[in-house]
Amino acid sequence: MSQPTALSAAQTADLAAALHGGVLPDDPAALIDLIGELERLKSLASAVQADATVAYDAARRREESEQGVSARRQGRGVAAEIALARRESPHRGQTLLGLAKILHTEMPHTRARMRDGTLSEFRAILLVRETACLTAEHRTFVDEELCADPAALGGVGTRELVARAKRAAYEIDPASVVRRARNAESDRNVTVRPAPDTMTYLTGLLPVAQGVAVHAALGRDADALRAQGDSRCRGQLMADLLVARVTGAELVPDAPTPVPVLVNLTMSDSTLLGGHAPGQVGADGVAPDILPAEIARLLLSRTLNAEVGAWIRQIYVDHTGRLLGMTSKQRFFADGLADVIGQRDLGICRTPFCDAPIRHRDHVTAVGDGGATTADNGQGMCEACNHAKEAPGWRQSTVDDLRHSVETVTPSGHRYRSTAPPPVGWREPRWVKESPGVYTLVA
């Protein structure tokens, strides 16, 4: 029996090229066969990625051990590297690294089902999540119960698969499931993310009793206001009551609750006075959202008319689209300079594929290496990415470009570039050919 050949990125690239250059069959049945085989290929590819992830983690830890890095700090930046390679966020990279290790050590049958195409990576993550409260021995038992037989997964939907995992976990160790439910209360929090059409999703993760109580109270009071003749629908009233009670603002009739606004204007003055270039609205720790000029002016006028307070801060751009920066002799970024960096980066971590809000303003070139506290040497980062790049072998430097650009080199030698997004309303300059060999940069 011949020895299996070592897999390589070049082989995978050849397969990708074949898929990219292939022509779809005309036969409808053949198209369905192709779709099914591609789905199995995706699952197999995910399993191979997991195997490669475990192997890379082990290799990095061996290398760092030989360099004298303490056991506690070994493998510190691996999840971030996996995320970059897979074009995912660092948080997702941590999830994928955890999945790979568990498949390798505790859930071999789940891994086998991914390799034969029976189980997708998404469903494997759900199985890992639902058995997280179990010991390694019990988790292996559930893995065998659910996934040892490929035929047992035939026709099983995702919801049913999760229910089976929960049921098996509870049967084998009910105490751990109860402890998990109690510990879940420590995960309560409130998050915010942009929604379509200049709206926002404000999400509260609460214990069931508190969540039901909040919803019932808002609903009860909304019904009372409707009974008094308020024309808003029940959902609108519940939303306005929520804002009024959290912010302390006064509930006004038949309109959204007005709140104080800080308008960061990365747009021209003419937009405020009637132009059409878009604006953006945001707050510390929240990614700004693009606003049509008319909506931005309406938001400001509502706030001013309600006399709840508004502040306007103009942030200008130069002819290249760069936000004007400031310099500082301090090690830490002063408030004004930190604001400029946050606005330039649109409130989002500068690590490629990371959508987390900015938590830290960090030096690209460290102060200890001669880096200055300037806008050009500063970048906005989330906490996880800022810590990851402090692991051994990570390097960063600024790149000369129209907009602020940072190049990151990972311990494996791979390079990733992050360029600051263009300000709202900005159009990239283009090169216009004036004559043979002569080009002019036009804004």
Side-chain angles (χ1 to χ4, degrees), residues 367-384:
V367 173
D369 296 330
T373 304
T374 63
D376 279 345
N377 193 46
Q379 59 181 335
M381 304 197 78
C382 70
E383 185 174 357

Side-chain angles (χ1 to χ4, degrees), residues 270-413:
S270 62
T271 300
L272 180 62
L273 301 175
H276 299 292
Q280 64 187 31
V281 63
D284 240 3
V286 181
D289 195 13
I290 300 300
L291 285 177
E294 185 175 348
I295 299 297
R297 290 191 293 271
L298 176 62
L299 174 65
L300 184 58
S301 67
R302 278 179 178 169
T303 304
L304 291 172
N305 291 336
E307 298 182 349
V308 295
W311 297 265
I312 304 173
R313 178 169 55 197
Q314 176 73 49
I315 301 178
Y316 293 96
V317 300
D318 64 15
H319 68 283
T320 69
R322 289 174 179 259
L323 299 187
L324 295 183
M326 298 179 291
T327 61
S328 171
K329 295 182 179 180
Q330 301 181 58
R331 181 183 182 91
F332 299 102
F333 292 95
D335 289 345
L337 181 53
D339 288 341
V340 167
I341 293 172
Q343 288 300 308
R344 180 198 65 200
D345 297 342
L346 294 189
I348 298 295
C349 177
R350 282 293 296 276
T351 300
F353 317 114
C354 182
D355 291 327
I358 290 175
R359 291 285 182 257
H360 297 170
R361 272 71 171 181
D362 185 60
H363 295 80
V364 178
T365 300
V367 173
D369 296 330
T373 304
T374 63
D376 279 345
N377 193 46
Q379 59 181 335
M381 304 197 78
C382 70
E383 185 174 357
C385 289
N386 193 23
H387 290 323
K389 77 180 190 67
E390 298 300 322
W394 289 71
R395 304 191 308 277
Q396 284 192 319
S397 60
T398 55
V399 180
D400 188 22
D401 205 343
L402 275 178
R403 292 198 307 278
H404 187 262
S405 295
V406 177
E407 184 178 70
T408 299
V409 183
T410 64
S412 62

Side-chain angles (χ1 to χ4, degrees), residues 20-320:
H20 185 270
V23 178
L24 294 176
D26 295 326
D27 180 22
L31 287 170
I32 291 297
D33 289 339
L34 177 62
I35 292 171
E37 287 303 321
L38 286 173
E39 190 62 29
R40 280 186 277 275
L41 178 62
K42 284 162 58 179
S43 296
L44 171 58
S46 296
V48 175
Q49 280 182 317
D51 293 345
T53 296
V54 171
Y56 182 70
D57 179 65
R60 276 285 307 279
R61 289 175 182 275
R62 284 196 302 270
E63 181 180 325
E64 291 173 357
S65 177
E66 294 169 357
Q67 295 172 352
V69 178
S70 66
R72 185 175 61 86
R73 297 174 64 87
Q74 290 171 17
R76 187 176 177 184
V78 170
E81 287 191 81
I82 299 304
L84 286 168
R86 294 194 57 171
R87 298 175 176 83
E88 296 278 9
S89 70
H91 180 269
R92 181 70 173 176
Q94 191 66 55
T95 298
L96 294 169
L97 176 59
L99 170 70
K101 290 182 175 181
I102 290 169
L103 292 177
H104 186 74
T105 58
E106 300 175 19
M107 303 184 75
H109 295 294
T110 299
R111 172 176 170 270
R113 299 293 72 79
M114 290 176 64
R115 292 187 71 89
D116 65 22
T118 308
L119 202 63
S120 68
E121 181 180 66
F122 171 71
R123 299 175 82 186
I125 289 175
L126 294 179
L127 287 178
V128 169
R129 184 191 69 187
E130 295 303 331
T131 57
C133 58
L134 302 177
T135 64
E137 182 182 1
H138 287 164
R139 179 182 250 167
T140 301
F141 178 80
V142 173
D143 172 61
E144 184 173 1
E145 283 284 302
L146 298 182
C147 297
D149 181 9
L153 296 176
V156 177
T158 300
R159 184 175 296 179
E160 172 60 20
L161 182 64
V162 170
R164 289 184 183 184
K166 287 182 176 179
R167 190 161 50 244
Y170 186 76
E171 289 173 354
I172 196 171
D173 190 357
S176 68
V177 177
V178 172
R179 282 195 303 271
R180 175 178 176 171
R182 289 175 178 169
N183 292 336
E185 292 186 358
S186 64
D187 295 329
R188 61 189 183 278
N189 64 6
V190 177
T191 58
V192 62
R193 66 186 191 278
D197 303 322
T198 67
M199 300 291 281
T200 297
Y201 292 111
L202 178 68
T203 304
L205 179 63
L206 303 172
V208 64
Q210 283 81 354
V212 171
V214 169
H215 190 270
L218 293 173
R220 180 189 63 244
D221 293 347
D223 290 338
L225 288 171
R226 293 193 72 197
Q228 296 170 16
D230 197 301
S231 63
R232 285 170 286 189
C233 71
R234 191 172 192 264
Q236 291 171 337
L237 277 167
M238 290 175 68
D240 294 342
L241 284 166
L242 174 65
V243 174
R245 290 175 178 176
V246 171
T247 63
E250 182 179 353
L251 187 70
V252 299
D254 300 320
T257 304
V259 292
V261 175
L262 168 61
V263 181
N264 284 314
L265 290 171
T266 50
M267 59 184 181
S268 66
D269 296 331
S270 62
T271 300
L272 180 62
L273 301 175
H276 299 292
Q280 64 187 31
V281 63
D284 240 3
V286 181
D289 195 13
I290 300 300
L291 285 177
E294 185 175 348
I295 299 297
R297 290 191 293 271
L298 176 62
L299 174 65
L300 184 58
S301 67
R302 278 179 178 169
T303 304
L304 291 172
N305 291 336
E307 298 182 349
V308 295
W311 297 265
I312 304 173
R313 178 169 55 197
Q314 176 73 49
I315 301 178
Y316 293 96
V317 300
D318 64 15
H319 68 283
T320 69

Side-chain angles (χ1 to χ4, degrees), residues 411-431:
S412 62
H414 290 81
R415 296 174 181 269
Y416 302 88
R417 179 177 289 197
S418 164
T419 301
V424 289
W426 172 254
R427 293 293 179 269
E428 294 289 348
R430 55 192 177 89
W431 292 94

